[in-house]
Amino acid sequence: MSISDWFKAREARRYTTINGERAAGSEVPDGVWSTCSACKRIVYEGQLVEYLRVCPHCGHHFDLNAFERIGLLADPESFDEFDAGVGSTDPLGFVAAKPYTESLESARERSGLTEGVVVGRATVGGHPVVLGAMDFRFIGASMGSAVGEKIARAFELALDERRAVVLCTASGGARMQEGMLSLMQMAKTSATVRRLAEARLPYISVLTNPTMGGVTASFAVVADVVLAEPGALVGFAGPRVIEQTIKQHLPKGFQSSEFLLEHGMVDEVVPRGQLTARVTTLLDYLARGGERA
Amino acid sequence: MSISDWFKAREARRYTTINGERAAGSEVPDGVWSTCSACKRIVYEGQLVEYLRVCPHCGHHFDLNAFERIGLLADPESFDEFDAGVGSTDPLGFVAAKPYTESLESARERSGLTEGVVVGRATVGGHPVVLGAMDFRFIGASMGSAVGEKIARAFELALDERRAVVLCTASGGARMQEGMLSLMQMAKTSATVRRLAEARLPYISVLTNPTMGGVTASFAVVADVVLAEPGALVGFAGPRVIEQTIKQHLPKGFQSSEFLLEHGMVDEVVPRGQLTARVTTLLDYLARGGERA
Amino acid sequence: MTRRYVMEFERPLVELEAKLEELQRLDLTANPELVAEVATVAEEIEALRESTYADLSAWDRVQISRHPDRPKAQDYLAAVFTDVVELHGDRAYGDDEAIVAALATVDGHRVAVLGHRKGKNTRENIARNFGMPHPEGFRKAMRIMRLANKFGLPLVTLIDTPGAFPGIEAEERGQAWAIAESLALLSGLRVPVVAVGIGEGGSGGALAIGFGDRLIMLENAYYSVISPEACASILHKDAGKASEVATCLAMTAADLAGLGIVDEIISEPSGGAHRQPEEVFGAVRERVSSALTALAGADPNELVRSRYERLRSIGVIEEGSG
Amino acid sequence: MTRRYVMEFERPLVELEAKLEELQRLDLTANPELVAEVATVAEEIEALRESTYADLSAWDRVQISRHPDRPKAQDYLAAVFTDVVELHGDRAYGDDEAIVAALATVDGHRVAVLGHRKGKNTRENIARNFGMPHPEGFRKAMRIMRLANKFGLPLVTLIDTPGAFPGIEAEERGQAWAIAESLALLSGLRVPVVAVGIGEGGSGGALAIGFGDRLIMLENAYYSVISPEACASILHKDAGKASEVATCLAMTAADLAGLGIVDEIISEPSGGAHRQPEEVFGAVRERVSSALTALAGADPNELVRSRYERLRSIGVIEEGSG
Ligand SMILES: [Zn+2]
Ligand SMILES: [Zn+2]
């Protein structure tokens, strides 16, 4: 499936089409619209496309899926996916509430993806990169064997071909249905990042909403430059786990991108509209080094 | 002058000999004694020697001069001083309140030293090292050109002869009478430490009372293992400067060795009686590496 | 008498033992009819003890791994190692007592040691945060990893934590960042790394110091991507299903040996390591020493390469056409 | 009209200028006798202006270096550099606004930039702590030094701080440790380092990012082991003697060029850089670019060696017999 076909199919599923009923007191025409989860106002599809799925009223960044992210960053027609068929199996025969195999199946059906991350070769601002994006719709883009394997291969391929790596992360954490096989992906992916770093090839990560747990605590944050989208939730422990542990409510904005910036954890919070230009400029510095521009 | 001669001459000047008068209500015999600055109790010289100049009543560590420190750490007869004649001059013609040359002269007279640090070859627990100790009596063991030069040479010689470095620090900071020549010694000495580190030769520093300012913020703390004597005052800014800046009193124990341990800055607070054994054990690990003991 | 800590699965046994004790306190000469009963109960106890400790479930082992009397990292440091010098601090923020770092010698091998450190009592546990490190704990560990690397000291790690601490300050100071950096650093150390699971192996906080060229686990230690309670409350909305989930998660030493993640299992005395600690210390000393001997003299590039291959091979996937 | 900030040594001139302004406000056609006086005052002003700004003492220059309108690091970033991407944070504790870090391009040279950052007004100065970094500021700087080193980007530093902050939290988080580590790291970078003194060069907090392969200073910048006020209050028990002490400390660009510490001096417009910032920006661009061009392509080992020799040669000693 080409990216543009994929986009169309995806969007078709996503929009709510008004059937006669209108939101009370508002002037919604017949057509396609969404409700902003932050300001609760209605946003028309045309606006959303124009604003890269950022709410024109309040600036809230709607979640993007993997191919939307890639479409945003990759130079036109430059993305060439690899390892699209790599998927997790059910090595532990895991059944709790429902079988893991069922979760995998329904995730594949709903998303059209084999796993929670999409990786490929691309150029960004003309720089050859390995570009990857996680897709939260796939079991929360949790990292099991397949996500870990695809990330590891992405870094290895970048090392072989002397490319930079650009990753957009989004994940609920480790995929518990694969037990320790899943936890060990944290060490495995971090080890591949280290090898890229030793080769002095740049790695830029873009933390998007939400990036939590074992993904944050491994390959997501050990990049040369760490960017974050406005308002993304990023952290190690989930807010509910923390609240249960410390028996108190968390302050507003806790674990947001802006909170992380203040605490020294990310280089910059970059609005979506500026992201591609920013990544390009960073690659100008890091992928070409210090010779004259 | 041999160390033992030096010790005798030094001690002779240091003791207070009681002339008829006795401390009220105490049973002080004729003889040699000191008053502990921490608990104000009287300590007899015999006890002080036995306890390595640690108060037998309260454990307060009396300041030691450079040769006392060296005598404590070096294997008997192993210390061989170098660069004893290196001294600061007065490159800026500095006069404020009194001429710098006068300060240098009187420091030399009082201490019997040419400068605020003594360095030499030695063995410690059988390990060949470069051993150095600062002497607070010499203009507060402040770091001017000569202290910086002696420290730099100490690290260079250790590098040449593949020795470990063990330094006991004590300093009021940079020697302001040498202006920027003094400040630059911070960069110079830190650069020599870095070279030793690149050669994977160990450097152990022992922070003693007081170690402040430009000495703390350069060669004193960038050691592989940082030890501190109990109750030593160690920091960057002096307590009075901080109090003036923040307009409040400092908490008790602020900038003490124990405070630094709690805040992660030193590896261990080691009572003087255990120091030589501890440094020896550390050298066993670091100077010999990981082969079998 | 201190009340004995009773694990769930031991309860029937402990109740029977209590009954026996009660019987024995009676004057048996005055109650001759009880003599037989005492003998019967004693026999029952023997049988029950055997069955109780013979076929432990994953959840039983989780309880043993959390037993308050179970030997802790500092007990191993005292019993298995000699010439121990503890090193403190991350040189930036604090000294996290939930991580212990030391230079130490085991059976003649000079090494650096890192471990999660739980307390033996409430006071200690509060100081050590129940063995749950903050970021500065992992940063202290990284400092010691670099020291070991610099001076060619092999690294031995002792894994025993419920997990990295989930708290406000831990997040503020970059818990995820500290763990990730530790993983990357540990993967590239040019000295042998021997990791030993001695108790709890809770998620990322365990993994941060919990892998290497060898992974040895005590029989009743666990190592898991998530605590069974948390897993149960997410998947079943019922933490009470932890026992069931523990089995699914394949978190015991035996499970992990089956998955090729654990290299060696050290068997424990019946009932757990706390019953005969000396026996366990001896076994750990022997296994760690053997592993260090086997790894000694390895070319650093080869060590890093083979550790990478170890990690790289973990995971079960299928390759579809995409 | 905003009240103009007046430096001590400018006061006589400013008073005379005020007088002239007053005179000019009068109706000179009604007071023809004043015409001559206006001319006289104007002449006096010209003469006084020349003498005021001609022979500046060290203390005068200290005041210029602290002038609130003096161009700050961020002004240089905006005016001298292009394609600026600011990078934030130390990845461990915070983002210290008293240090600015960026990737930037100067006259075609892609570089990393570090600078002390003061504010332009009270609000900014509070956020930036008047340009006095905490340890996390130096740790951010170190992170960017490592980044520059990794990717072969030369480093340009802009020095402008009263000093590292002397406060409780700064000491708690290891102010001395952070500075010392920064000194050691900077000394060993395998990329060209060009340091530029643009304002205040206060002690260890300046030095932490304040030396390299070239040290360029603006004419009225200072660089000193201690502030003249602090030095005077220690040695004279009288901070009022700062003016006198400033001369003793040999802290001006000219003094330091004489000592061989400063390589180049960029002259400033009469009265200071704030009078004609564009002129200064142009000169800084040109000198930094020249220095980078001269250092470009140098062998990294040679760079580190020659930087070491530079540092190593600083100091004046006598070699006695001991
Ligand atoms: Zn909105
Ligand atoms: Zn005392």
Side-chain angles (χ1 to χ4, degrees):
Chain A
M1 195 189 282
S2 81
I3 295 186
S4 55
D5 288 348
W6 190 95
F7 253 81
K8 277 180 215 137
R10 157 97 188 76
E11 298 298 294
R13 279 197 298 276
R14 196 158 180 264
Y15 304 143
T16 309
T17 305
I18 298 177
N19 301 310
E21 265 184 45
R22 294 171 178 240
S26 69
E27 292 269 313
V28 183
D30 281 355
V32 173
W33 57 277
S34 306
T35 305
C36 172
S37 67
C39 70
K40 312 295 177 203
R41 278 187 277 187
I42 279 168
V43 192
Y44 304 106
E45 178 55 21
Q47 284 179 303
L48 263 185
V49 168
E50 186 189 342
Y51 286 88
L52 304 170
R53 315 208 78 77
V54 174
C55 174
H57 307 299
C58 73
H60 170 71
H61 283 53
F62 285 57
D63 292 352
L64 298 184
N65 64 48
F67 279 107
E68 285 170 334
R69 295 250 162 237
I70 287 164
L72 187 71
L73 279 164
D75 296 338
E77 307 295 320
S78 76
F79 186 73
D80 181 17
E81 185 175 2
F82 54 76
D83 291 325
V86 169
S88 272
T89 63
D90 178 22
L92 308 184
F94 193 95
V95 179
K98 70 175 165 185
Y100 176 40
T101 47
E102 259 181 41
S103 308
L104 282 171
E105 253 170 65
S106 66
R108 282 170 190 161
E109 200 167 308
R110 264 185 292 117
S111 68
L113 300 171
T114 311
E115 259 299 337
V117 66
V118 173
V119 288
R121 292 179 186 83
T123 61
V124 173
H127 296 277
V129 301
V130 168
L131 177 61
M134 303 182 82
D135 199 308
F136 198 78
R137 300 167 306 161
F138 197 100
I139 316 183
S142 53
M143 177 160 66
S145 297
V147 168
E149 182 67 20
K150 289 181 83 170
I151 294 290
R153 288 188 190 178
F155 279 94
E156 286 179 340
L157 187 140
L159 185 61
D160 282 351
E161 301 183 357
R162 302 218 40 98
R163 288 168 181 263
V165 174
V166 178
L167 291 184
C168 300
T169 66
S171 177
R175 188 168 301 166
M176 53 194 159
Q177 295 91 335
E178 296 183 36
M180 271 299 279
L181 293 172
S182 160
L183 187 72
M184 293 304 291
Q185 303 306 314
M186 291 171 65
K188 170 169 140 184
T189 53
S190 301
T192 61
V193 176
R194 186 194 58 77
R195 288 182 93 211
L196 191 84
E198 285 191 351
R200 294 169 184 248
L201 291 165
Y203 165 32
I204 296 166
S205 79
V206 182
L207 308 177
T208 80
N209 184 59
T211 301
M212 299 302 292
V215 165
T216 317
S218 62
F219 66 88
V221 301
V222 285
D224 295 302
V225 177
V226 180
L227 306 177
E229 277 206 331
L233 184 78
V234 179
F236 177 65
R240 263 171 309 181
V241 173
I242 298 173
E243 285 187 335
Q244 278 162 17
T245 305
I246 62 170
K247 320 270 184 226
Q248 61 184 76
H249 284 293
L250 295 172
K252 202 170 134 63
F254 183 72
Q255 295 183 320
S256 67
S257 300
E258 295 73 18
F259 166 95
L260 292 171
L261 182 69
E262 189 189 328
H263 288 284
M265 300 302 152
V266 302
D267 281 295
E268 194 181 2
V269 176
V270 184
R272 193 171 288 165
Q274 298 165 27
L275 185 63
T276 306
R278 180 58 91 228
V279 171
T280 299
T281 307
L282 287 169
L283 290 172
D284 288 344
Y285 284 105
L286 304 183
R288 288 200 186 127
E291 88 279 24
R292 293 177 74 97
Chain B
M1 195 191 279
S2 80
I3 296 185
S4 57
D5 289 349
W6 191 95
F7 252 81
K8 276 181 216 136
R10 157 96 187 76
E11 298 298 294
R13 279 198 300 277
R14 194 157 181 265
Y15 304 142
T16 311
T17 304
I18 297 175
N19 302 312
E21 268 184 41
R22 294 170 179 242
S26 71
E27 292 269 311
V28 182
D30 282 353
V32 172
W33 58 276
S34 307
T35 305
C36 171
S37 67
C39 70
K40 311 296 177 203
R41 278 187 274 187
I42 280 168
V43 193
Y44 304 105
E45 178 55 20
Q47 285 180 304
L48 265 184
V49 168
E50 186 189 340
Y51 286 89
L52 304 170
R53 316 208 77 78
V54 174
C55 174
H57 306 300
C58 74
H60 171 70
H61 284 53
F62 285 57
D63 292 353
L64 298 185
N65 64 48
F67 279 108
E68 286 170 334
R69 294 248 163 240
I70 287 164
L72 185 73
L73 279 165
D75 296 337
E77 308 293 320
S78 76
F79 186 72
D80 182 17
E81 186 175 1
F82 55 76
D83 291 325
V86 169
S88 272
T89 62
D90 178 21
L92 307 184
F94 192 94
V95 179
K98 70 175 166 184
Y100 177 38
T101 48
E102 259 181 40
S103 308
L104 281 171
E105 253 170 64
S106 66
R108 281 169 190 161
E109 200 169 307
R110 267 185 291 115
S111 68
L113 301 171
T114 310
E115 260 297 340
V117 66
V118 174
V119 287
R121 292 178 185 84
T123 61
V124 172
H127 296 278
V129 301
V130 168
L131 178 61
M134 304 183 82
D135 198 309
F136 199 77
R137 299 167 307 160
F138 198 101
I139 316 184
S142 53
M143 178 160 64
S145 298
V147 167
E149 182 66 20
K150 290 181 81 170
I151 294 290
R153 288 188 191 178
F155 279 94
E156 286 180 339
L157 188 140
L159 185 61
D160 282 351
E161 301 184 357
R162 302 219 36 101
R163 289 167 181 263
V165 173
V166 178
L167 291 184
C168 300
T169 66
S171 178
R175 188 167 300 165
M176 52 192 160
Q177 294 91 338
E178 296 184 34
M180 272 299 280
L181 294 172
S182 161
L183 187 72
M184 294 304 291
Q185 304 306 312
M186 291 172 64
K188 172 168 137 183
T189 54
S190 301
T192 62
V193 175
R194 185 193 60 78
R195 287 182 93 211
L196 192 84
E198 286 191 351
R200 294 170 185 246
L201 291 166
Y203 164 32
I204 296 167
S205 79
V206 182
L207 308 177
T208 80
N209 185 59
T211 301
M212 299 301 293
V215 164
T216 316
S218 62
F219 66 88
V221 301
V222 284
D224 296 302
V225 177
V226 179
L227 306 177
E229 277 207 332
L233 183 79
V234 179
F236 177 65
R240 263 171 308 181
V241 173
I242 298 174
E243 286 188 335
Q244 279 163 18
T245 305
I246 62 169
K247 319 270 185 230
Q248 63 184 77
H249 284 292
L250 295 172
K252 203 169 134 59
F254 183 71
Q255 295 183 319
S256 68
S257 300
E258 295 73 18
F259 166 95
L260 292 171
L261 182 70
E262 190 189 329
H263 288 284
M265 300 301 154
V266 302
D267 281 293
E268 194 182 2
V269 176
V270 185
R272 194 171 287 164
Q274 299 165 27
L275 185 63
T276 308
R278 180 58 90 227
V279 171
T280 299
T281 306
L282 287 169
L283 290 172
D284 288 343
Y285 285 105
L286 305 183
R288 287 200 187 125
E291 87 280 25
R292 293 178 75 96
Chain C
M1 195 183 106
T2 333
R3 229 185 113 202
R4 182 176 150 206
Y5 178 88
V6 177
M7 298 178 282
E8 206 176 291
F9 68 94
E10 286 180 320
R11 203 169 303 278
L13 176 63
V14 170
E15 277 163 13
L16 213 54
E17 285 173 335
K19 187 180 170 190
L20 180 63
E21 226 172 87
E22 206 174 290
L23 287 172
Q24 282 167 334
R25 248 184 269 116
L26 300 174
D27 184 359
L28 291 190
T29 51
N31 302 280
E33 78 283 5
L34 286 181
V35 173
E37 178 149 7
V38 166
T40 311
V41 172
E43 265 168 47
E44 276 178 43
I45 286 174
E46 269 323 292
L48 188 56
R49 180 174 292 139
E50 199 157 309
S51 70
T52 298
Y53 296 122
D55 221 18
L56 295 172
S57 74
W59 182 240
D60 297 340
R61 294 188 198 273
V62 168
Q63 288 172 73
I64 294 176
S65 78
R66 294 171 177 170
H67 195 288
D69 298 337
R70 189 170 177 86
K72 306 288 190 291
Q74 60 274 24
D75 299 317
Y76 287 89
L77 269 173
V80 174
F81 296 85
T82 56
D83 296 311
V84 176
V85 184
E86 191 179 345
L87 302 175
H88 291 273
D90 68 345
R91 297 289 182 274
Y93 184 83
D95 181 49
D96 188 342
E97 294 190 37
I99 293 270
V100 60
L103 301 175
T105 304
V106 53
D107 198 21
H109 298 275
R110 291 199 190 88
V111 299
V113 179
L114 288 171
H116 303 97
R117 178 162 51 186
K118 293 178 175 177
K120 284 283 198 188
N121 52 49
T122 307
R123 190 186 52 75
E124 279 185 8
N125 262 320
I126 289 169
R128 294 165 187 179
N129 201 32
F130 298 84
M132 292 182 284
H134 279 72
E136 51 271 24
F138 299 117
R139 294 192 178 110
K140 169 163 77 172
M142 282 190 263
R143 191 172 70 82
I144 272 54
M145 288 178 197
R146 290 193 189 96
L147 191 77
N149 199 52
K150 180 175 176 184
F151 294 107
L153 296 164
L155 181 64
V156 176
T157 74
L158 304 171
I159 308 160
D160 187 17
T161 180
F165 188 65
I168 292 183
E169 295 212 327
E171 295 289 323
E172 286 178 342
R173 296 199 290 272
Q175 189 71 286
W177 277 253
I179 292 171
E181 287 168 13
S182 192
L183 295 174
L185 179 60
L186 185 53
S187 75
L189 292 185
R190 295 169 62 79
V191 292
V193 179
V194 176
V196 188
I198 59 170
E200 293 191 86
S203 188
L207 189 66
I209 63 165
F211 67 94
D213 305 304
R214 293 287 185 281
L215 178 52
I216 300 170
M217 268 181 84
L218 296 197
E219 185 187 348
N220 296 314
Y222 80 81
Y223 207 158
S224 179
V225 66
I226 187 171
S227 78
E229 292 92 333
C231 185
S233 74
I234 293 169
L235 294 180
H236 288 287
K237 318 283 172 215
D238 177 5
K241 302 228 168 170
S243 161
E244 192 179 300
V245 165
T247 304
C248 287
L249 283 167
M251 56 201 279
T252 68
D255 292 334
L256 296 171
L259 289 170
I261 290 171
V262 161
D263 301 290
E264 298 179 46
I265 299 174
I266 293 177
S267 52
E268 299 186 22
S270 174
H274 58 288
R275 297 293 186 89
Q276 303 285 347
E278 289 304 330
E279 199 178 293
V280 176
F281 296 147
V284 168
R285 183 188 302 109
E286 198 233 307
R287 297 297 188 90
V288 169
S289 177
S290 299
L292 290 169
T293 301
L295 294 163
D299 173 62
N301 292 328
E302 182 49 30
L303 266 180
V304 173
R305 194 201 57 75
S306 68
R307 193 179 310 130
Y308 183 77
E309 292 307 324
R310 258 178 89 86
L311 291 173
R312 195 60 194 78
S313 68
I314 298 174
V316 180
I317 57 157
E318 56 187 11
E319 307 250 5
S321 56
Chain D
M1 195 182 107
T2 331
R3 229 185 113 201
R4 182 176 150 206
Y5 178 87
V6 178
M7 298 179 281
E8 205 177 291
F9 69 94
E10 286 181 321
R11 202 168 305 276
L13 176 63
V14 169
E15 279 163 14
L16 213 55
E17 286 173 334
K19 189 180 168 188
L20 181 64
E21 225 173 86
E22 206 174 292
L23 286 171
Q24 285 168 331
R25 248 183 271 116
L26 300 173
D27 183 359
L28 292 189
T29 51
N31 302 278
E33 77 283 6
L34 286 181
V35 172
E37 178 150 3
V38 166
T40 311
V41 171
E43 266 168 48
E44 274 177 46
I45 285 173
E46 266 324 291
L48 186 58
R49 179 176 290 139
E50 197 158 311
S51 69
T52 297
Y53 295 122
D55 219 18
L56 295 172
S57 73
W59 182 239
D60 296 341
R61 294 188 199 273
V62 168
Q63 288 171 72
I64 295 176
S65 78
R66 293 172 178 170
H67 195 289
D69 298 338
R70 189 171 177 82
K72 306 290 189 291
Q74 59 273 25
D75 300 317
Y76 287 89
L77 269 172
V80 174
F81 296 86
T82 56
D83 296 311
V84 176
V85 184
E86 191 179 345
L87 302 176
H88 291 272
D90 68 347
R91 297 287 181 277
Y93 184 83
D95 181 49
D96 188 342
E97 295 190 37
I99 293 271
V100 60
L103 301 175
T105 304
V106 53
D107 198 22
H109 298 275
R110 289 199 190 90
V111 299
V113 179
L114 288 171
H116 302 97
R117 177 160 54 184
K118 293 178 175 177
K120 285 283 197 189
N121 51 49
T122 306
R123 189 187 54 75
E124 278 186 9
N125 262 319
I126 288 169
R128 295 166 187 179
N129 202 32
F130 298 85
M132 293 182 284
H134 279 72
E136 51 271 24
F138 299 116
R139 294 191 178 111
K140 169 164 75 172
M142 283 189 263
R143 190 171 71 81
I144 273 53
M145 288 179 197
R146 290 193 189 96
L147 190 78
N149 199 53
K150 179 175 176 182
F151 293 106
L153 295 164
L155 180 65
V156 176
T157 74
L158 304 171
I159 309 161
D160 187 16
T161 180
F165 187 64
I168 290 182
E169 294 211 328
E171 295 289 323
E172 285 178 344
R173 297 200 291 273
Q175 189 70 287
W177 276 252
I179 292 171
E181 287 167 14
S182 190
L183 295 174
L185 178 60
L186 185 53
S187 75
L189 292 185
R190 295 168 64 77
V191 292
V193 180
V194 176
V196 188
I198 58 170
E200 293 191 87
S203 189
L207 190 66
I209 63 165
F211 66 94
D213 304 304
R214 293 288 186 281
L215 179 51
I216 300 169
M217 268 180 84
L218 296 196
E219 185 187 349
N220 296 314
Y222 79 82
Y223 207 159
S224 179
V225 66
I226 186 169
S227 78
E229 292 92 334
C231 186
S233 73
I234 292 169
L235 295 179
H236 288 288
K237 319 283 172 214
D238 177 5
K241 302 229 169 169
S243 161
E244 193 179 299
V245 165
T247 305
C248 288
L249 283 167
M251 55 201 281
T252 68
D255 293 333
L256 296 172
L259 288 170
I261 290 172
V262 162
D263 302 289
E264 299 179 46
I265 300 175
I266 294 177
S267 51
E268 299 186 22
S270 176
H274 57 287
R275 296 294 187 87
Q276 302 285 347
E278 288 304 329
E279 198 179 292
V280 176
F281 296 146
V284 167
R285 183 187 303 109
E286 198 232 307
R287 298 296 188 91
V288 168
S289 176
S290 299
L292 290 169
T293 301
L295 293 164
D299 174 60
N301 293 327
E302 181 51 31
L303 266 180
V304 173
R305 195 201 56 75
S306 69
R307 192 180 311 130
Y308 184 77
E309 292 306 324
R310 257 178 90 87
L311 291 173
R312 196 60 195 78
S313 68
I314 298 174
V316 179
I317 56 157
E318 57 187 10
E319 306 251 5
S321 57

